[in-house]
Amino acid sequence: MSGASLDEVLKTAWARARAVWGRAFRQLKLFLATAEHTWRRSLQVRVVTLTLVVSSLLVAVFAYVVAYRSSTILLNRAKDSVSAQLDYGRSYTELQLKIFGKPFEPNVQGTLQDIVFYLGGGDSQDPSAGLVVVRADNVNELSAVPSRKGDITGLLTTDITGVVSHGQKATAIRSADLDRTGMVKYLVEGTPVKTNFGQIELYYIEPLTTQDSAATQIRTTVLATGATLVLLLGLLSALVTRLVVRPVRVAARTAQRLSAGLLDQRMAVTGEDDLALLAASFNQMAANLQRQIVRLEDMSRLQRRFTSDVSHELRTPLTTVRMAADLIFAERERFPADVTRTAEILQTELDRFESLLTDLLEISRYDAGFAMLDAEPTDLVPIVHRAVEPLRGLAERCGVPLEVDVPADPVIVEADPRRVERILRNLVGNAVEHAEGKPVVIRLVSDGVAAAVAVRDHGLGLKPGEEKLVFNRFWRADPSRARQTGGTGLGLSISLEDARLHGGWLEAWGAPGQGAQFRLTLPVRAGDRLSGSPLRLVPEDIELAAVTPPVQPRAITQTPAELPL
């Protein structure tokens, strides 16, 4: 095979391996995502899983404790039995060897064999039986005698024989293959035996096959019982959780239908338990909520109709009064001073009353859903100037400088110019009213997707939470303050509805002593959904002040609420 073909084969194999690993990784990722979604959405899965995990841990700990205690008890019993046999064997050996004074006397080796034969249970060669060994390493004339054949070098190691040779008992557990049938665990115990011709060693080697088998059976039984118990607990928790979760799911679905406007939805009530009481209470709450909503809708409908009818009906007498007031106002120079002042006050209040009627009619159109948007490509730059110029006289009287920052190029959006101009006029007038003699900055920015106009003042500002209340009808931050303009209290409410009609945003930010900023954001193309604004809601000078501390810091009595940028 050539080098080029080998490279191609390796590349193909590598590509296939990468494809297989990629599919496996995607499958694993999909499985984890599905498992996470199920874990987050299903209370029953979480309860059953936690029950299985906790019960498995408890069963595992219990099985370990039982197995450990069982093995310990069986081993202790084996040790006690071997220790008793060893003590008896030592006494028996000492008694049998008491008649000998020298190791080279006749029958000493034979007596040792007889002792081992007796203590080892006769001529039994059962592998499960114990093994008795007599060693006489300290006596050169004698050799070791085991009760049956087998390689005991792996059992009588130096750490055991060394202790016994120094006149002490020794106990150990060793594994060896005495009969060439596999490794077996043995309990080895040894003791020194005192004789007239010196010290010899007596060892009992007991196989622990029975004890290990019993411990294994106990461990298997406990694990099988525990696994069965865990499965039963999981099944029981699933059934119990289902009994509890199912009515909750039904209640959640019913609540979703209620929130979607299907006020006639109810839960089925079965039985007399706590869940039945929950269903009955939920149905009672839904019925009360339905009655309240219907009542409020009727009241709101009557209120809107009353406002609309009154506004329309007042137009005719207002026109008549306006004609008479205009005639008196035009001839006011011919009247005494007090009558002249009365004519001027009458003219001012009629203007305010007419403005109030106009705003009420506009609000009634929004409430009735009759407001229409006449969107057309519009340049916002001249609209900003048209909204600001009529208010310059009021700003000069209040001592408030107006600063307009607009791009040199046109900013074209699909909007209703009349409504946009009305929004900006309300925002600028409101800013002049609360500027406290400090500059008001109007800024226009566009990023091609959305256009935003920000009106910034440096007056009293807003308290935390008031940035939402400013758009409520007839709401005022400080009712005790004297107003410079004859506002109706509906300007910001109408502006908010105008912005929503465009699919835009009208938002407010403010902090005590740091002024306020209102931001109008409109989509460049009508019908597009806004995802952001080219202007930040929190003014840049506030952020710079937070980053760079002033030379002479001033205590702030109240921290402004955190607002989205």
Side-chain angles (χ1 to χ4, degrees):
M1 183 180 290
S2 63
S5 61
L6 180 59
D7 292 340
E8 292 178 356
V9 170
L10 292 176
K11 290 181 179 178
T12 303
W14 174 248
R16 290 179 178 176
R18 291 185 60 184
V20 171
W21 280 108
R23 286 194 297 269
F25 179 75
R26 287 192 295 271
Q27 292 294 332
L28 177 61
K29 188 176 180 180
L30 178 62
F31 172 76
L32 293 177
T34 304
E36 181 186 5
H37 181 266
T38 304
W39 175 267
R40 289 188 291 103
R41 296 293 301 273
S42 177
L43 176 62
Q44 186 176 8
V45 170
R46 291 200 299 271
V47 172
V48 173
T49 303
L50 291 176
T51 301
L52 291 176
V53 171
V54 174
S55 58
S56 299
L57 292 176
L58 292 177
V59 168
V61 172
F62 176 75
Y64 173 78
V65 172
V66 171
Y68 175 77
R69 291 294 301 165
S70 300
S71 301
T72 303
I73 292 173
L74 293 174
L75 182 59
N76 289 335
R77 288 181 178 178
K79 287 182 179 180
D80 294 340
S81 177
V82 171
S83 180
Q85 295 179 19
L86 188 64
D87 292 339
Y88 172 76
R90 181 185 60 192
S91 301
Y92 179 79
T93 303
E94 290 177 350
L95 181 62
Q96 295 297 320
L97 297 177
K98 188 176 182 181
I99 61 175
F100 299 102
K102 301 296 181 179
F104 50 80
E105 292 183 11
N107 298 328
V108 173
Q109 187 71 33
T111 303
L112 290 178
Q113 293 178 353
D114 293 339
I115 292 173
V116 170
F117 181 80
Y118 172 74
L119 296 179
D123 57 354
S124 175
Q125 298 296 321
D126 185 5
S128 62
L131 177 64
V132 179
V133 179
V134 172
R135 286 168 53 95
D137 291 350
N138 296 329
V139 183
N140 296 328
E141 292 80 3
L142 301 177
S143 60
V145 180
S147 62
R148 63 184 176 87
K149 296 180 180 181
D151 184 10
I152 62 174
T153 56
L155 297 175
L156 299 181
T157 55
T158 55
D159 57 340
I160 300 175
T161 59
V163 175
V164 178
S165 63
H166 285 81
Q168 297 179 359
K169 294 180 65 174
T171 303
I173 296 177
R174 294 289 185 269
S175 297
D177 187 6
L178 295 182
D179 305 299
R180 306 299 181 183
T181 58
M183 298 296 292
V184 178
K185 187 184 296 184
Y186 291 90
L187 174 63
V188 181
E189 286 200 14
T191 183
V193 178
K194 304 294 183 179
T195 64
N196 295 329
F197 50 82
Q199 176 179 294
I200 63 173
E201 302 166 12
L202 177 64
Y203 295 93
Y204 268 68
I205 302 175
E206 183 74 18
L208 298 178
T209 307
T210 304
Q211 289 78 6
D212 288 345
S213 177
T216 302
Q217 291 180 0
I218 293 174
R219 190 182 304 110
T220 303
T221 303
V222 172
L223 289 177
T225 305
T228 305
L229 180 61
V230 169
L231 293 178
L232 291 177
L233 286 175
L235 180 61
L236 180 61
S237 63
L239 294 176
V240 174
T241 309
R242 179 178 176 83
L243 292 176
V244 177
V245 171
R246 186 175 180 181
V248 176
R249 290 176 178 173
V250 173
R253 288 194 295 267
T254 306
Q256 291 175 352
R257 296 190 185 100
L258 288 174
S259 63
L262 303 176
L263 301 179
D264 57 342
Q265 295 296 311
R266 298 294 185 269
M267 292 180 61
V269 181
T270 56
E272 299 180 356
D273 54 5
D274 294 336
L275 296 178
L277 179 60
L278 171 64
S281 302
F282 185 90
N283 292 339
Q284 184 64 33
M285 178 193 67
N288 294 335
L289 182 63
Q290 182 180 12
R291 286 194 296 269
Q292 291 293 332
I293 291 177
V294 171
R295 187 174 64 87
L296 291 176
E297 287 179 349
D298 294 339
M299 293 177 60
S300 178
R301 191 181 303 109
L302 291 174
Q303 182 181 10
R304 290 195 298 268
R305 182 176 179 180
F306 174 77
T307 302
S308 178
D309 293 345
V310 169
S311 301
H312 282 286
E313 292 298 330
L314 289 178
R315 278 293 183 181
T316 301
L318 178 61
T319 302
T320 304
V321 175
R322 165 64 72 180
M323 293 174 58
D326 289 342
L327 180 62
I328 296 174
F329 185 77
E331 301 294 333
R332 66 185 182 281
E333 300 296 337
R334 300 170 54 185
F335 300 138
D338 54 346
V339 179
T340 300
R341 178 58 180 164
T342 302
E344 293 174 352
I345 295 174
L346 177 61
Q347 189 73 10
T348 301
E349 294 301 320
L350 282 176
D351 292 340
R352 183 180 178 185
F353 186 46
E354 189 173 8
S355 176
L356 176 60
L357 282 181
T358 302
D359 290 345
L360 286 175
L361 286 174
E362 189 69 20
I363 286 291
S364 65
R365 279 193 289 270
Y366 276 115
D367 291 339
F370 295 151
M372 301 296 294
L373 183 67
D374 297 328
E376 60 185 29
T378 305
D379 186 5
L380 293 183
V381 174
I383 290 183
V384 172
H385 288 295
R386 288 203 305 267
V388 173
E389 290 304 323
L391 296 171
R392 289 194 179 275
L394 173 63
E396 291 177 358
R397 291 196 304 271
C398 297
V400 176
L402 292 179
E403 301 177 9
V404 180
D405 181 9
V406 296
D409 298 329
V411 178
I412 306 299
V413 299
E414 295 180 2
D416 189 335
R418 179 180 66 86
R419 296 182 185 277
V420 174
E421 182 178 349
R422 179 168 61 188
I423 295 173
L424 297 180
R425 189 164 55 249
N426 285 329
L427 296 182
V428 175
N430 184 72
V432 171
E433 179 71 25
H434 298 86
E436 299 293 324
K438 299 177 183 178
V440 172
V441 181
I442 300 96
R443 186 182 177 191
L444 171 63
V445 176
S446 176
D447 59 3
V449 178
V453 182
V455 180
R456 169 81 163 106
D457 69 77
H458 299 79
L460 295 176
L462 299 173
K463 298 178 182 178
E466 291 184 349
E467 66 275 358
K468 301 296 183 182
L469 298 177
V470 293
F471 299 106
N472 292 345
R473 300 176 185 181
F474 303 108
W475 185 86
R476 293 180 61 184
D478 188 2
S480 63
R481 294 181 67 251
R483 298 181 59 89
Q484 302 293 330
T485 58
T488 63
L490 296 173
L492 291 180
S493 301
I494 296 175
S495 300
L496 180 62
E497 297 294 342
D498 285 337
R500 290 175 176 172
L501 193 62
H502 283 85
W505 302 337
L506 182 57
E507 303 160 285
W509 171 90
Q514 301 185 45
Q517 177 164 292
F518 288 77
R519 181 182 68 180
L520 171 65
T521 307
L522 299 175
V524 171
R525 290 180 294 274
D528 288 355
R529 187 179 183 87
L530 289 175
S531 60
S533 178
L535 279 176
R536 300 173 68 89
L537 181 59
V538 179
E540 296 179 357
D541 57 338
I542 296 297
E543 295 183 345
L544 293 176
V547 174
T548 305
V551 178
Q552 295 180 350
R554 182 177 59 183
I556 299 176
T557 58
Q558 189 170 5
T559 303
E562 183 179 356
L563 294 173
L565 299 181

